[in-house]
Amino acid sequence: MNTSAGPLRPRRLGLLAATLALLTALLTACGDSGPRDLLADIRAGHVMLGTKYDQPGLGLQNPGGAITGFDAAVSVFVVNTLADQLGVARPQISWKETPSAQRETFLRNGEVDTIAASYSITADRMKKVDFAGPYFITYQGLLVRADDDGLNSLTDLADGKKLCSVAGSTPAQNVKAQLPGVQLQEYDSYSSCVEALRRGKVDATTTDEVILAGYANRWQGEFKLVSMTYPRDTCVKGTWKTAGEPFSTEYYGIGMAQDFPEAVERVNQALQLMMSTPPGGGQSVWERDLREALGDTTVDDMIARADAPGSQFRFVPTPGDLSFLDAPSTPCPEGAE
């Protein structure tokens, strides 16, 4: 009996270790089975924040593991500000990659406290999660090579130019509907589109311009941004769009689990503080972080565009104001196309 006990002991230890690992995994899964309260987790000393890992300028995981970008900066500012206001130590921050298709699930299952990941606030999403913000307003734009003098507006794509976007994306289909002559090239990611643009395989790529601005800032001097507006009065899915109106307006918010209204209110207050001008004047923390993420030239251009007479573009959002969700649309005139 004793001669067999020795060889079995390592196996028993291995089985015990495996059992403990399984129990730990089960307990972790159980802990993530319900939504997280951001304020409670800040008080407890640890928060889990969601963002993208593959969007330069917004959320990017660097080779060393650090997360950089404007979305990440906004998240960190909010958490640290709330900790200061609650009178507790600033919590440990962990990050989790949150792909677009899984964002609502991650929030509802308690896998993250918040998500800032180019996350547009929409009425449909508000049925599943809550949002603080908006903390940024962006529009559909074009990214073209800096030396391409023939592409300065949407209509310049009309003559058989090659436009790249992600397969099935609404932005590309919007352009195709306006300019049937465009040759639409669909790739599996915006990174692939940008690489195709760098190599001259396509003439432009389109999505939210802040995403494009992140790529332009990463490869400085290689690209330029082109604003997109409707070239003529047109009917789009039953809504009347006038010439000069921006293509899709997106309001980015911080996604949070439902049923924690105090947390949402406090996050909105932190965002307002981030956007406020310092007592002595100068740039807000919000603008400073945006400039660091996108570059001074891009931000200066966004400000100038918003300040232009009669402009339909905005620059600074109003956290907590979700009235845009209820803004009435103009129906198409009878017989309009």
Side-chain angles (χ1 to χ4, degrees):
M1 294 294 292
N2 289 338
T3 57
S4 63
L8 285 175
R9 188 173 292 114
R11 297 179 186 176
R12 288 171 180 166
L13 290 174
L15 179 60
L16 177 60
T19 302
L20 289 173
L22 177 60
L23 288 173
T24 300
L26 290 173
L27 288 172
T28 301
C30 290
D32 288 344
S33 61
R36 291 175 180 255
D37 179 356
L38 174 64
L39 300 183
D41 284 355
I42 290 175
R43 291 187 178 100
H46 179 261
V47 295
M48 180 69 74
L49 306 181
T51 193
K52 295 289 183 67
Y53 280 13
D54 60 351
Q55 287 185 340
L58 290 177
L60 184 68
Q61 185 178 50
N62 295 324
I67 307 299
T68 61
F70 183 63
D71 285 345
V74 169
S75 296
V76 171
F77 179 91
V78 165
V79 167
N80 288 340
T81 297
L82 293 185
D84 295 345
Q85 293 174 348
L86 292 170
V88 299
R90 293 182 174 184
Q92 176 188 349
I93 294 175
S94 297
W95 296 96
K96 187 177 183 67
E97 184 176 18
T98 48
S100 297
Q102 297 175 276
R103 289 179 296 203
E104 287 84 25
T105 300
F106 281 7
L107 287 168
R108 295 166 74 180
N109 288 351
E111 296 184 52
V112 292
D113 286 283
T114 66
I115 294 178
S118 56
Y119 201 3
S120 296
I121 304 172
T122 68
D124 285 342
R125 289 172 178 162
M126 289 286 291
K127 297 174 184 176
K128 304 174 184 176
V129 299
D130 282 341
F131 281 96
Y135 65 87
F136 194 72
I137 305 174
T138 190
Y139 305 87
Q140 187 176 340
L142 290 174
L143 187 69
V144 303
R145 287 182 294 277
D147 59 359
D148 190 342
D149 297 329
L151 272 173
N152 299 296
S153 68
L154 177 63
T155 52
D156 291 333
L157 286 172
D159 299 327
K161 297 288 187 179
K162 294 179 180 178
L163 174 68
C164 185
S165 195
V166 171
S169 69
T170 300
Q173 299 301 326
N174 287 343
V175 175
K176 185 69 174 176
Q178 291 297 303
L179 303 171
V182 169
Q183 296 184 37
L184 186 58
Q185 308 286 316
E186 295 185 301
Y187 285 59
D188 61 353
S189 68
Y190 290 114
S191 297
S192 298
C193 280
V194 172
E195 188 59 28
L197 182 60
R198 294 183 73 200
R199 296 184 178 185
K201 294 182 178 181
V202 298
D203 299 297
T205 186
T206 183
T207 187
D208 296 352
E209 64 179 9
V210 67
I211 296 175
L212 301 176
Y215 286 109
N217 191 48
R218 185 176 185 181
W219 286 286
Q220 293 187 16
E222 292 194 33
F223 301 114
K224 64 181 178 182
L225 284 170
V226 174
S227 296
M228 292 175 60
T229 59
Y230 284 98
R232 61 183 183 280
D233 294 351
T234 188
C235 186
V236 179
K237 296 181 180 179
T239 300
W240 189 241
K241 303 291 186 179
T242 58
E245 184 176 345
F247 268 61
S248 61
T249 304
E250 305 294 334
Y251 296 82
Y252 287 176
I254 297 179
M256 305 172 66
Q258 292 181 328
D259 301 325
F260 300 105
E262 181 186 357
V264 174
E265 181 178 358
R266 282 182 172 269
V267 172
N268 278 327
Q269 291 170 356
L271 291 173
Q272 291 166 3
L273 178 63
M274 189 180 190
M275 295 177 190
S276 62
T277 302
Q283 296 175 358
S284 65
V285 175
W286 177 85
E287 183 177 335
R288 184 197 68 202
D289 286 347
L290 186 64
R291 288 180 177 277
E292 183 176 343
L294 304 183
D296 287 332
T297 300
T298 295
V299 175
D300 287 341
D301 288 345
M302 289 178 174
I303 294 173
R305 183 180 64 182
D307 290 343
S311 174
Q312 298 186 58
F313 293 86
R314 290 178 57 193
F315 178 62
V316 181
T318 304
D321 181 5
L322 303 182
S323 59
F324 60 88
L325 293 173
D326 301 317
S329 58
T330 303
C332 300
E334 186 174 353
E337 297 183 357

